[in-house]
Each structure stands twice: as structure tokens, then as C-alpha cells.
Amino acid sequence: MFASNTILGCPVILRLKSNESYHGIFATFSAGFDVILECCHKIDSSNEVLICGRSVPKKDKVCAKFFEFENIVEMHAYEVDKDFALKCKIKYNLKFF
């Protein structure tokens, strides 16, 4: 679950047991890993264009959506900064008496 915290706010594609795919922003997850996607829409491969992991939705098809863990097969995250923790430069100035 710790790794899931690093992709919060990233665009993801979620595939379900029903073989439907959804594209959205990974907003949050529960302790049981139920997932909420914001700006979410169903990917219709016959009607949409996928460009670098992004699908182009129709404006009226975008909403927030809840997915139960039991129905999720896989989730792919895009535009993830894997080295964010290494970029943090905090200087500790500790004094021991």
C-alpha cells in the first residue's frame, strides 16, 4: 500500500474483471484497496484514441467513480516520478548537548 501513496494524483488506467477499462486520476483508496478515480471515464477502444496512456473522453462522460477491490484486475499509472524521494534535499541541523 505504501507504493500506492506515491501514485496518488497520477493518471491511471484501471482494468476490471469484466474486461472494461477506465481512465482517470487516482484519487484515494481504502484499507481494503477499494479505489476512487476522479475525472474518470470508460475507455471505448472503438471510439477513442489512446495517446501515451491517455484517452480522450467526451465531456459528458467524465465523473468520479468507485471501484471495489474484488473487481480490479490491474492498474497502470502514468507520469510517475519514481525518484521523487531522492530529489528531496533536507538538511538536518541537530545539536546534542
Side-chain angles (χ1 to χ4, degrees):
M1 290 233 189
F2 174 74
S4 299
N5 284 328
T6 62
I7 62 171
L8 286 173
C10 291
V12 297
I13 293 180
L14 197 69
R15 190 166 61 90
L16 306 177
K17 284 182 181 177
S18 62
N19 210 24
E20 296 175 321
S21 294
Y22 288 86
H23 181 251
I25 306 299
F26 185 40
T28 190
F29 60 94
S30 70
F33 208 75
D34 299 324
V35 171
I36 293 180
L37 297 184
E38 292 179 343
C39 302
C40 177
H41 66 278
K42 184 177 176 182
I43 297 174
D44 180 6
S45 58
S46 66
N47 194 18
E48 293 191 24
V49 178
L50 283 174
I51 304 170
C52 299
R54 300 179 197 187
S55 60
V56 182
K58 294 181 180 178
K59 188 175 180 179
D60 61 339
K61 301 288 183 187
V62 177
C63 63
K65 194 157 176 78
F66 174 80
F67 299 93
E68 293 180 344
F69 172 75
E70 298 82 33
N71 296 323
I72 299 171
V73 174
E74 65 183 358
M75 183 168 70
H76 293 278
Y78 299 91
E79 299 178 23
V80 178
D81 184 5
K82 295 178 231 166
D83 297 325
F84 79 97
L86 300 174
K87 295 177 183 176
C88 183
K89 295 181 181 180
I90 299 175
K91 294 182 179 180
Y92 294 99
N93 192 4
L94 302 175
K95 294 182 180 180
F96 296 99
F97 296 97

